[in-house]
Amino acid sequence: MKIAILSRGPKLYSTKRLREACKDRGHDAKVLNSMDFSINVEEGYPDLLYKNRRLPNFDAVIPRIGASITFFGTAIVRQFEQMGVCCLNSSLGIITSRDKLFSVQFLARHNLGIPQTIFVKERAAILPAIQKLGGAPVVIKLIEGTQGIGVILADTDTVAEAIIETLHSKKQNVLIQQYVSESKGKDIRAIVVGNKVVASMRRRAKGDEFRSNVHRGGTVENVQLNEKYEKAAIRAAQIMGLSVAGVDMLEGKRGPMIMEVNSSPGLEGIEKATGIDVASEMVQFLERQCNIPEIDLRQRLTQDKGYGVAEIHIMKNSDIIGKTVSEAGFRERDIVIMSIKRKRTTISNPKATREILLGDTLLCFGKLENMESFIVKSRTRRRRKKE
Ligand SMILES: Nc1ncnc2c1ncn2[C@@H]1O[C@H](COP(=O)(O)OP(=O)(O)O)[C@@H](O)[C@H]1O
Ligand SMILES: [Mg+2]
């Protein structure tokens, strides 16, 4: 394949390793600087220029988009997607994972374990937010920080309040987060490729530092994850829409607490700590991904009027509880059930004989109008209770 590695640093460890891995597997790889592209948006002919020349054809793209160029970098990836070129991570996945608020909002509903996080804008809301987290110490984070920069541990409520006020006055968006003290100074980085964890390490902060980032002097060691941590990492990457991700987790009292999901995880620390050829794992996955490229469902589905994807929650008054998929009459009403979410498991492509239970969430594709007949109306949308 002809592979473009989008990176501004051809000499960076990760870029070099990816290039090597492509070559070792018989591909022709070129490192291209995202900033040298021009995007040509023309009806029917989405195109890209590179250094003002027409870009030769590529079969696949490995995006390594730095945090400082998220906007332009993801626009280039999006353009490759429009051109039908297979991208190792999607532009949407990269954008979603870049924003720490966006990420925890997405992750929170799936019960994977995240540190409780509050976002406020008004001065009057700062102290109540800190208190809602149980008071200081709390962690304060810039929404788009990386490498530990913009992550502060505040020891007292008043210091926390003052820091947040200062950042607000500088027009910065900040998160206030519960400090997971039992994980002090260490965390887990799991590299997810496709639907497996290919390598994982524990990072330890230097001295009194609480941030374990390698860029902050943290050290790394190989670690074997148990199933709970592996599952959480894989699911987190999947929820963020990333095929390749570095998932950072704190070791909480009750198990993993996901802090963030990185779309361009650095390879140096992890390859050195584990001895695993992560770059090659990524390239091998790319080869497979290109055979069945990911598609953006929203763009495809709108073609047929009135069809779409919706979730049907099976609530108390539903008259299909206890019926099988076939008895419930979905097919007759032009609806296909793609999956059933039942507690913590998901049943993909349920058979016609599968029984529908109270509490199930059915992910369906079909005539939206007909789906309404399966939805039991409740006057107010109840909030989910804490477990
Ligand atoms: N809520 C928290 N509790 C304890 N330690 C934390 C918490 N949030 C972050 N840390 C520490 O700070 C480091 C950096 O935080 P992170 O959110 O990953 O930001 P960055 O994107 O800058 O790496 C983490 O790797 C972890 O060691
Ligand atoms: Mg991090």
Side-chain angles (χ1 to χ4, degrees), residues 100 141 146-148 177-178 180 187 210 212-213 259-260:
K100 289 189 193 332
K141 289 187 188 182
T146 57
Q147 305 181 344
Q177 194 167 73
Q178 166 206 355
V180 183
D187 71 357
F210 85 106
S212 49
N213 302 67
M259 271 181 307
E260 64 166 349

Side-chain angles (χ1 to χ4, degrees), residues 18-37:
L18 283 164
R19 194 155 167 234
E20 265 169 35
C22 288
K23 291 219 158 122
D24 289 349
R25 297 192 57 79
H27 304 298
D28 173 12
K30 293 260 172 326
V31 178
L32 305 179
N33 182 344
S34 307
M35 301 313 281
D36 288 336
F37 281 93

Side-chain angles (χ1 to χ4, degrees), residues 46 49 60 104 160 221 234 274 318 339 367 372 377:
L49 298 180
V104 288
E221 68 190 27
I234 294 164
T274 62
S318 169
S339 73
K367 208 95 188 130
E372 281 180 40
K377 299 249 164 23

Side-chain angles (χ1 to χ4, degrees), residues 161-209:
E161 190 185 24
I163 294 170
I164 297 162
E165 267 183 41
T166 310
L167 291 168
H168 278 173
S169 75
K170 293 287 167 205
K171 307 261 179 292
Q172 296 292 329
N173 283 319
V174 288
L175 299 181
I176 320 171
Q177 194 167 73
Q178 166 206 355
Y179 175 50
V180 183
S181 58
E182 63 270 25
S183 184
K184 185 182 180 303
K186 54 184 177 44
D187 71 357
I188 301 279
R189 159 70 57 103
I191 304 289
V192 176
V193 177
N195 52 7
K196 67 176 198 225
V197 172
V198 297
S200 49
M201 63 181 177
R202 183 178 281 120
R203 304 186 295 190
R204 257 177 233 282
K206 196 169 98 184
D208 282 344
E209 178 58 65

Side-chain angles (χ1 to χ4, degrees), residues 361-380:
T361 299
L362 316 183
L363 180 65
C364 303
F365 169 73
K367 208 95 188 130
L368 291 169
E369 197 181 288
N370 293 349
M371 287 199 212
E372 281 180 40
S373 62
F374 288 101
I375 294 170
V376 178
K377 299 249 164 23
S378 66
R379 238 172 286 140
T380 51

